[in-house]
Amino acid sequence: MVYEYEGKTEKEAIEKAAQELGLEKDQFDVEILESQKNTLFKKGYVKIRVHTVDTQDHVEPEFDGKVPNATDRANNPKLVANPLPQDEFEQKLLDFIVALIQKMGYEVTVEVMFREEKKIGVKLTSSSSSILIGRKGKNLDAMQLLANVYAGHLGREDVRIILDSENYRIRREESLVRLAYVTADKVRSTRTSVLLEPMNPFERRLIHTTLNDIPDVETKSEGDGLYKQVRVIYKGVR
């Protein structure tokens, strides 16, 4: 199910959603649709879209794809995972991913990259990594979705599966942060707006949160479906 909420800040909007839906904050996914900071003439607000998992479904396709980086792992030793499957569920999951990729015509080895509460990271190692990742990570996203569907079939709808190869997720995150700042500089100098490439929900949220503290720039998601675009707007243009 999908709901929309507004608040003065992202935290306030999320807390409102949790209270009205009767859910814990980790039981739903949040997508920032629009963010506006306080100005002299206009109050700040954040508009979010909340995606909840229907118990009749096996997987919620829009989810946080964040992969812990080296700093995260250093600060939290629990994220340094044993790469071998620890139970029947993990073994079946890894076997499924290998079989899926082999049916695509590629050889791969897989191992557990990290374990968090309700989240498992799986590392793919292959001589065909660039193909498995695909343009802008779309092949990786598609396989990740299938892995989550399969996890649901195994009765583990509560666990999110994150696939990564060649540290693509972290490299993509760093690239998007740079893109956000470069785009913000561009719209401030031209006093116009820029529409970015289609992105998945996690990538869009990263753009929104990166630019949230820049006072004369705002962001807004546009489009339909899983891959929407973020428009970065100079506030002085109406």
Side-chain angles (χ1 to χ4, degrees):
M1 299 292 290
V2 178
Y3 307 87
E4 293 185 1
Y5 296 91
E6 289 188 12
K8 295 179 181 178
T9 63
E10 179 182 349
K11 180 179 179 182
E12 180 180 300
I14 292 174
E15 289 177 347
K16 184 184 296 184
Q19 182 176 4
E20 292 190 12
L21 295 173
L23 299 173
E24 297 296 327
K25 295 177 185 177
D26 61 357
Q27 291 181 301
F28 56 82
D29 293 318
V30 176
E31 174 188 355
I32 299 177
L33 296 179
E34 193 169 350
S35 178
Q36 162 106 28
K37 297 294 287 184
N38 273 317
T39 66
L40 183 61
F41 303 105
K42 192 173 183 180
K43 292 184 178 180
Y45 72 94
V46 174
K47 184 176 182 180
I48 66 172
R49 178 174 292 157
V50 170
H51 301 267
T52 62
V53 178
D54 191 322
T55 57
Q56 300 302 314
D57 294 334
H58 290 296
V59 66
E60 167 57 50
E62 299 193 23
F63 59 86
D64 177 358
K66 183 174 178 58
V67 173
N69 56 30
T71 301
D72 296 329
R73 297 184 191 192
N75 293 335
N76 187 356
K78 292 182 179 180
L79 294 180
V80 181
N82 184 330
L84 299 178
Q86 299 298 291
D87 53 32
E88 183 180 7
F89 166 68
E90 289 188 4
Q91 184 65 65
K92 287 185 176 180
L93 176 66
L94 297 188
D95 288 345
F96 170 81
I97 295 170
V98 170
L100 172 66
I101 294 174
Q102 287 180 340
K103 288 180 180 179
M104 294 166 58
Y106 305 103
E107 292 300 317
V108 68
T109 58
V110 300
E111 60 184 11
V112 176
M113 183 169 50
F114 66 86
R115 293 181 183 88
E116 295 181 6
E117 185 179 2
K118 300 182 179 180
K119 186 185 292 186
I120 297 176
V122 178
K123 178 182 178 181
L124 313 180
T125 302
S126 171
S127 59
S128 304
S129 291
S130 60
I131 297 174
L132 297 183
I133 293 169
R135 186 175 183 275
K136 306 298 183 183
K138 288 191 176 182
N139 292 348
L140 199 60
D141 286 346
M143 292 186 294
Q144 184 170 275
L145 176 59
L146 291 175
N148 277 275
V149 171
Y150 182 70
H153 283 305
L154 295 178
R156 296 302 305 272
E157 299 92 342
D158 60 316
V159 177
R160 301 291 173 84
I161 313 302
I162 307 296
L163 301 189
D164 198 11
S165 183
E166 302 288 343
N167 290 321
Y168 171 78
R169 301 289 186 193
I170 294 174
R171 290 188 288 109
R172 174 67 169 164
E173 182 176 339
E174 293 171 346
S175 173
L176 287 172
V177 170
R178 291 194 297 269
L179 173 65
Y181 285 126
V182 168
T183 305
D185 287 342
K186 181 176 181 179
V187 302
R188 294 170 79 184
S189 63
T190 60
R191 300 198 172 192
T192 182
S193 69
V194 172
L195 188 63
L196 300 179
E197 66 193 50
M199 301 177 188
N200 66 36
F202 169 71
E203 294 173 337
R204 294 196 304 274
R205 187 179 185 189
L206 183 60
I207 297 292
H208 289 303
T209 54
T210 298
L211 300 183
N212 193 47
D213 292 329
I214 298 181
D216 54 351
V217 170
E218 62 182 344
T219 59
K220 183 182 299 185
S221 290
E222 297 183 3
D224 299 311
L226 180 63
Y227 287 87
K228 299 185 182 72
Q229 294 175 272
V230 174
R231 185 177 294 279
V232 183
I233 308 162
Y234 176 68
K235 290 183 181 179
V237 176
R238 290 291 184 267

